[in-house]
Amino acid sequence: MPMKIEQPPRQKNIAAPYLLFVGSARSRIDAKTAAGIAYWRPELCRGQLRLDAEAVDLGLPDMSIQQAAAEGVRTLVLGLAMPGGSISKDWVQTIVEALRLGLDVASGLHTSLSGHPEIRDALATSTASLIEIRKRNLEYPVAGYRKRTGKRLLTVGTDCSIGKMHTALALEAAMRAAGRSVDFRATGQTGILIAGPGVPIDAIVADFVAGAAEALSPDAEPDHWDIIEGQGSLFHPSYAGVTLGLIHGSQPDALVLCHEPGRLANSDFADLPLPTLEECAELHLRMARMVNPAARLAGISLNTSALSGQEANLQLQRAMDALGVPAVDPNRTGVAAIIQELDRC
Amino acid sequence: MPMKIEQPPRQKNIAAPYLLFVGSARSRIDAKTAAGIAYWRPELCRGQLRLDAEAVDLGLPDMSIQQAAAEGVRTLVLGLAMPGGSISKDWVQTIVEALRLGLDVASGLHTSLSGHPEIRDALATSTASLIEIRKRNLEYPVAGYRKRTGKRLLTVGTDCSIGKMHTALALEAAMRAAGRSVDFRATGQTGILIAGPGVPIDAIVADFVAGAAEALSPDAEPDHWDIIEGQGSLFHPSYAGVTLGLIHGSQPDALVLCHEPGRLANSDFADLPLPTLEECAELHLRMARMVNPAARLAGISLNTSALSGQEANLQLQRAMDALGVPAVDPNRTGVAAIIQELDRC
């Protein structure tokens, strides 16, 4: 089967194996990037570096920088958001040590690390590199609104951190296993660290977000699917603009709506209730149809990990009844029902 | 009357008087920035520099760089978008000459001029500065979604270049003349060159657009109005994300919807029809109400400059009938009817 015609922008390859820096993160959500890489690409991960015993355990061997260097680790991956927004001494010390021992350091943070004096000094005398995913290859044109060949699916959600990347990766894996022509298109630092190519869409200058999304998913063979990792939510007041630029540039044929039953309020603002599934699907579809009138909802993806099997089935059935499309939990039911639905797009 | 409590981020002051660079722009729309400054701040403008006789005439004295320097001009303002996106020889020569003669050069372009070898060389030996509005003071936090004191009006529109800045400046001028506590809040390069302070919102990294809009319009006295210059349109597929970030960060109490009767298609994409006024008002209001449930439409601003008086009255009446709020043309009717409506917000 012929593959896609063009390639999207590529990030410099990040050398495996990885040591995942977990810092003092107390939960998988706090160490979201590290947890995502450990889950989706365990073969790339040699160990984890936790700064204290209370830090979340990703099930990888605990390892110091020295041990990692001795075991052939190539890259220290900063796998969590920086607490407070400014870099702490612990972090600087770890990064400097990694660079001194010849490990590359990959960071998905907005905050530039290369300007820190100690890190800059370590870089000057190291053979290793600092790879700042949110600082590279960020020049894109304004969106041209041209209809592209091939098919596109975009995951959307009721909130941030609600399964958009996970669902997209699950769809890609299942479609690839079924012999389909498919690519995961990463739009966030975790997705890029997992997949290699991608655009850190939230780090793009606002005028060019939709243009970057167009470049991420170029013309392709008619039966090829790009599975584009969604970001934010139209209902999240800090990030809705990023979400909308991504929708407009992606021109999706199919949307998959991600949600976590039981999450009632916005994860950042407890006084902001989440929308209903119906409301959320309707608004995201409306925006997608501005650029692709054929866009349709292809499924719902629920994270039911906190529920019993019976409760999960009830939630999946309710979602299906409410929206008339398949509802899945990638980890419980697989995503086959959504893939079947794609044949109608 | 007590004025606002805080000040928004300030751009370095741009020294007047200005020489407006019109280049070879054939229309006021092509030389939108220059035309806006000449219209709103004629007292700041000493002359215009046109590269050929076909270039649009803004009604200012034609002036070479040498003449301008002799007449005490302080800043050459690049008052138009760069044709084609890359800088031409004509432009470089003009900028270099200005710097050599001690004129500052102010640019609102996305494209960085400081990296151009000849401009860099000229800067190195000049006492003058290159002021790149879209390159400075661009660090803002993620939006915090906190309700702020004071009142905010945001202009929105069916398209780009349809009167959002003009309407905001007209509202500010009329409210100031009526003794109200009011500030124009610039969000684009032209607005900033006219008003001084502001945020070039389309040059902000996507994750921080709503946060920048929050910073632009800080807490204020209860009866103070910030009149925020809108950008793009939720219906423009290249820029809708910028528009949405600006809406969410502004948390407007009042929207004013701008349109040009007779413009039927998107200005960048002829195959994309513009929304109806009703549709446009409804979607922008819906998005504004996510962050401020009290948001309401306070008026419609039509650019009827291409119409006869009778046709203009008909269009204004139709808009008023359709949406139940005052409809004005700032240049024909003034904006008093909208200001009255604000007392209901």
Side-chain angles (χ1 to χ4, degrees):
Chain A
M1 177 184 308
M3 285 303 292
K4 64 203 171 297
I5 306 166
E6 294 176 52
Q7 288 291 338
R10 275 206 166 260
Q11 296 274 344
K12 182 186 162 193
N13 275 340
I14 296 154
Y18 299 159
L19 174 64
L20 302 181
F21 181 63
V22 176
S24 300
R26 291 287 177 267
S27 70
R28 283 176 176 271
I29 287 184
D30 290 345
K32 182 168 113 161
T33 297
I37 301 168
Y39 183 91
W40 286 104
R41 295 294 184 266
E43 69 279 12
L44 300 181
C45 305
R46 189 65 54 85
Q48 63 187 0
L49 175 54
R50 303 188 297 160
L51 288 177
D52 60 63
E54 313 292 303
V56 60
D57 185 353
L58 301 176
L60 293 165
D62 284 306
M63 213 173 265
S64 68
I65 301 279
Q66 289 85 351
Q67 289 170 320
E71 296 215 12
V73 163
R74 302 279 305 279
T75 304
L76 174 73
V77 175
L78 302 184
L80 67 166
M82 217 156 37
S86 67
I87 186 162
S88 69
K89 277 199 176 174
D90 283 350
W91 283 53
V92 172
Q93 202 178 322
T94 306
I95 293 165
V96 165
E97 199 178 349
L99 291 170
R100 290 221 173 113
L101 293 176
L103 270 64
D104 288 344
V105 175
S107 162
L109 304 171
H110 276 300
T111 308
S112 175
L113 301 179
S114 59
H116 190 283
E118 292 177 53
I119 295 172
R120 199 175 50 213
D121 289 351
L123 273 171
T125 57
S126 173
T127 56
S129 305
L130 174 64
I131 302 163
E132 301 201 85
I133 290 172
R134 274 178 166 147
K135 303 286 163 192
R136 304 181 314 154
N137 304 340
L138 301 183
E139 302 269 325
Y140 295 94
V142 164
Y145 179 59
R146 183 180 64 80
K147 172 81 179 152
R148 307 189 295 285
T149 55
K151 295 283 188 181
R152 284 157 198 85
L153 180 151
L154 176 69
T155 53
V156 297
T158 52
D159 196 3
C160 290
S161 299
I162 204 151
K164 292 181 291 289
M165 183 192 77
H166 190 88
T167 299
L169 284 162
L171 285 163
E172 186 215 23
M175 290 172 77
R176 199 177 289 287
R180 302 250 191 157
S181 172
V182 63
D183 277 299
F184 171 72
R185 299 303 190 192
T187 61
Q189 69 274 24
T190 308
I192 291 169
L193 284 162
I194 290 170
V199 172
I201 202 82
D202 65 7
I204 303 293
V205 164
D207 243 9
F208 307 106
V209 166
E214 290 184 348
L216 177 69
S217 171
D219 281 318
E221 296 292 337
D223 61 349
H224 178 81
W225 278 92
D226 272 347
I227 309 296
I228 304 167
E229 176 193 2
Q231 291 292 337
S233 169
L234 290 175
F235 292 86
H236 193 301
S238 307
Y239 307 117
V242 180
T243 308
L244 183 54
L246 182 55
I247 292 173
H248 279 176
S250 298
Q251 301 180 349
D253 303 282
L255 296 179
V256 170
L257 173 57
C258 303
H259 180 59
E260 182 186 333
R263 196 189 297 189
L264 303 177
N266 183 286
S267 51
D268 290 314
F269 307 113
D271 58 339
L272 185 64
L274 288 193
T276 63
L277 289 179
E278 293 90 327
E279 194 183 1
C280 190
E282 181 272 327
L283 185 61
H284 284 84
L285 262 183
R286 176 172 176 186
M287 292 305 191
R289 285 177 177 156
M290 281 187 193
V291 291
N292 182 353
R296 57 193 302 275
L297 186 70
I300 302 149
S301 175
L302 300 183
N303 174 355
T304 64
S305 57
L307 306 183
S308 71
Q310 199 182 349
E311 285 168 332
N313 288 339
L314 184 69
Q315 292 293 340
L316 290 166
Q317 189 61 50
R318 273 192 190 158
M320 215 153 17
D321 292 346
L323 286 161
V325 292
V328 306
D329 177 330
N331 294 10
R332 209 186 269 268
T333 67
V335 294
I338 293 179
I339 296 177
Q340 274 196 316
E341 190 75 12
L342 294 185
D343 293 331
R344 301 171 57 185
C345 291
Chain B
M1 178 184 306
M3 287 301 294
K4 64 203 171 295
I5 305 165
E6 293 177 54
Q7 287 292 335
R10 276 208 165 258
Q11 297 274 344
K12 182 186 162 192
N13 275 340
I14 296 153
Y18 300 159
L19 175 64
L20 301 182
F21 181 64
V22 175
S24 301
R26 290 288 177 268
S27 70
R28 283 176 176 272
I29 285 185
D30 290 345
K32 182 167 114 162
T33 296
I37 300 168
Y39 183 90
W40 285 103
R41 295 292 183 268
E43 70 279 12
L44 300 181
C45 304
R46 188 67 52 86
Q48 62 187 2
L49 175 54
R50 302 188 298 159
L51 288 177
D52 59 63
E54 312 292 303
V56 62
D57 184 353
L58 301 177
L60 294 165
D62 284 306
M63 212 171 267
S64 67
I65 301 279
Q66 289 84 350
Q67 289 170 320
E71 296 216 13
V73 162
R74 301 279 306 277
T75 304
L76 174 72
V77 175
L78 303 184
L80 68 166
M82 217 156 38
S86 67
I87 186 162
S88 71
K89 277 197 179 173
D90 283 350
W91 282 53
V92 172
Q93 204 178 321
T94 306
I95 293 165
V96 165
E97 200 180 345
L99 291 170
R100 288 218 176 114
L101 293 177
L103 270 64
D104 289 344
V105 176
S107 162
L109 304 171
H110 275 302
T111 308
S112 175
L113 300 179
S114 59
H116 189 284
E118 291 177 54
I119 296 172
R120 200 176 47 213
D121 289 351
L123 273 171
T125 57
S126 174
T127 56
S129 305
L130 175 63
I131 302 163
E132 302 202 85
I133 290 171
R134 275 177 164 148
K135 304 285 164 194
R136 304 181 314 153
N137 304 342
L138 302 183
E139 303 266 326
Y140 294 94
V142 164
Y145 177 59
R146 183 180 63 81
K147 173 81 179 152
R148 307 190 293 288
T149 54
K151 295 283 189 182
R152 284 157 197 86
L153 180 151
L154 176 69
T155 53
V156 298
T158 53
D159 197 2
C160 291
S161 299
I162 204 151
K164 293 181 290 290
M165 184 192 77
H166 189 88
T167 299
L169 283 162
L171 284 163
E172 187 215 22
M175 289 171 78
R176 199 176 290 286
R180 302 249 193 160
S181 172
V182 63
D183 277 298
F184 171 72
R185 299 302 190 193
T187 61
Q189 69 275 23
T190 308
I192 292 169
L193 283 162
I194 290 170
V199 173
I201 201 83
D202 64 7
I204 303 293
V205 164
D207 243 8
F208 307 105
V209 166
E214 290 184 349
L216 177 68
S217 170
D219 281 316
E221 295 293 336
D223 61 349
H224 178 82
W225 278 92
D226 272 347
I227 309 295
I228 304 167
E229 176 194 3
Q231 291 293 334
S233 169
L234 290 175
F235 292 86
H236 193 300
S238 306
Y239 307 118
V242 180
T243 309
L244 183 52
L246 182 55
I247 292 173
H248 279 176
S250 297
Q251 302 179 350
D253 302 282
L255 296 179
V256 170
L257 174 57
C258 302
H259 180 59
E260 183 185 333
R263 195 188 299 189
L264 304 175
N266 183 286
S267 51
D268 290 314
F269 308 113
D271 59 339
L272 185 64
L274 288 192
T276 63
L277 289 179
E278 293 90 326
E279 194 182 0
C280 190
E282 181 272 326
L283 186 61
H284 284 84
L285 261 184
R286 176 171 175 185
M287 292 306 190
R289 285 178 177 156
M290 280 186 192
V291 291
N292 182 353
R296 57 192 302 276
L297 186 69
I300 303 152
S301 176
L302 300 182
N303 174 354
T304 64
S305 57
L307 306 183
S308 70
Q310 199 180 351
E311 286 168 331
N313 287 339
L314 185 68
Q315 292 293 339
L316 290 166
Q317 189 61 51
R318 273 193 190 157
M320 216 154 14
D321 292 345
L323 286 161
V325 293
V328 305
D329 177 331
N331 294 10
R332 209 186 268 271
T333 67
V335 294
I338 293 180
I339 296 176
Q340 273 197 315
E341 190 76 11
L342 292 185
D343 293 332
R344 300 171 57 185
C345 292

